[in-house]
Amino acid sequence: MFAPRIIPTLTFANRGLQRTKRFKKPVYVGDPVNAVRIFSDKEVDELIVLDIGGGSPSYELLSELASEAFMPMCAGGGIRSMDDVDRIFQLGYEKVLINTASVDNPGLISEIAARFGTQSVVVSIDVGRSLLGRESVVVDCGKRRTNLEVVQHARNCEQAGAGEIVLRSTYHDGMMDGYHVRLIGEV
């Protein structure tokens, strides 16, 4: 029988838990360390933490979050090299999540998979929509359009070694109107 897995995603910037609407206007909603404690107490199956502040990963905060977690953790945000990946795994994370690097440096997916296994590589695919309604992959927190077709990019990431894909729609983000079911079905 199918048992659902609960895998929350926490987004943070500048040491604060943030919520966005359509990847814009981040609003402080709490302390990420406290949120990890709460999810540990609730015994979620896994937890994804994403640094949406831009720049390099916040290793100090990631270390604090890992020390509070009693479930498998995945870290993302600003991961662009194997040095970043090594540091995150040394902090105790089981998985890394890459987004922009999946477009700018797709070989990183294969490199991580070869060294740590495909189960350790998560690719987040953010999907934006043009004024004419065309959907495509966006990166850099939704600020840069790539013109990559979403399903093909997902296939390429899987073939490169991604063990999981997180699909996020920029125009559904924070709107409380549910998931982009059609796109999920296509992917």
Side-chain angles (χ1 to χ4, degrees), residues 45-66:
D45 296 301
E46 190 173 326
L47 188 63
I48 298 172
V49 293
L50 293 177
D51 186 343
I52 61 170
S56 299
S58 177
Y59 297 113
E60 183 180 318
L61 180 57
L62 288 174
S63 179
E64 278 184 68
L65 297 176

Side-chain angles (χ1 to χ4, degrees), residues 103-131:
V103 172
D104 294 346
N105 181 12
L108 183 60
I109 299 168
S110 300
E111 200 174 344
I112 298 167
R115 187 156 168 199
F116 297 104
T118 58
Q119 79 287 345
S120 297
V121 187
V122 180
V123 173
S124 176
I125 300 175
D126 296 340
V127 180
R129 187 166 49 192
S130 72
L131 293 174

Side-chain angles (χ1 to χ4, degrees), residues 70-122:
F70 295 98
M71 77 287 276
M73 299 252 319
C74 174
I79 298 171
R80 290 181 172 73
S81 69
M82 281 304 290
D83 288 339
D84 294 330
V85 172
D86 287 336
R87 285 188 72 182
I88 289 169
F89 283 139
Q90 288 169 4
L91 294 174
Y93 287 80
E94 288 81 8
K95 299 177 182 180
V96 292
L97 181 145
I98 62 172
N99 177 287
T100 302
S102 73
V103 172
D104 294 346
N105 181 12
L108 183 60
I109 299 168
S110 300
E111 200 174 344
I112 298 167
R115 187 156 168 199
F116 297 104
T118 58
Q119 79 287 345
S120 297
V121 187
V122 180

Side-chain angles (χ1 to χ4, degrees), residues 22 51 58 85 96 107 111 114 144-145 148 161-163 166 172 187:
R22 296 193 168 138
D51 186 343
S58 177
V85 172
V96 292
E111 200 174 344
R144 180 168 51 112
R145 294 194 179 284
L148 291 172
V166 172
H172 280 80
V187 172

Side-chain angles (χ1 to χ4, degrees), residues 143-154:
K143 295 179 184 100
R144 180 168 51 112
R145 294 194 179 284
T146 66
N147 292 322
L148 291 172
E149 195 274 324
V150 178
V151 174
Q152 187 59 51
H153 184 59

Side-chain angles (χ1 to χ4, degrees), residues 135 149-151 155 180-187:
E135 295 172 330
E149 195 274 324
V150 178
V151 174
R155 279 189 193 116
H180 191 337
V181 177
R182 179 191 52 76
L183 184 64
I184 292 169
E186 288 176 14
V187 172

